Amino acid sequence: ASGVPNEESDLDILIEVENTNLKSSKRNIEVWTQMDKYSELDFSKDIFVYTTPEVKKFSVDKYSFLSMALENCKIIYEFN
């Protein structure tokens, strides 16, 4: 989620959803499948899907992946 990008770098994609009944691992797989199916994004990427309550819970720890990602992120799409 940080550092100097190079040819071996990947893109970390963080997606926040209001609510879902899917478990975390299933959410990630579902989004990954849909992105591969409908996207021309042919590069290395990691996808993380969190619910809004999870974002609030896990972002409190300043050393967590989520906290660092939110601190250093670039928002590319936001829907309210």
Side-chain angles (χ1 to χ4, degrees):
S2 64
V4 177
N6 61 51
E7 61 269 354
E8 293 183 18
S9 296
D10 66 351
L11 176 65
D12 292 332
I13 300 172
L14 173 64
I15 299 172
E16 180 180 343
V17 296
E18 286 251 343
N19 203 0
T20 180
N21 292 327
L22 294 176
K23 292 185 180 203
S24 178
S25 59
K26 295 284 187 189
R27 285 181 244 151
N28 295 342
I29 291 169
E30 179 67 26
V31 171
W32 185 275
T33 302
Q34 295 303 315
M35 284 186 76
D36 275 355
K37 189 189 257 185
Y38 298 107
S39 176
E40 300 288 327
L41 300 177
D42 189 23
F43 53 82
S44 182
K45 55 195 164 293
D46 292 326
I47 300 170
F48 305 92
V49 182
Y50 290 92
T51 64
T52 299
E54 289 171 337
V55 169
K56 289 178 183 174
K57 177 181 176 183
F58 297 126
S59 63
V60 174
D61 177 1
K62 69 178 185 176
Y63 298 108
S64 71
F65 164 79
L66 187 55
S67 180
M68 288 188 272
L70 291 172
E71 184 176 319
N72 298 299
C73 74
K74 182 176 217 173
I75 297 173
I76 56 173
Y77 181 78
E78 187 172 3
F79 179 78
N80 290 320

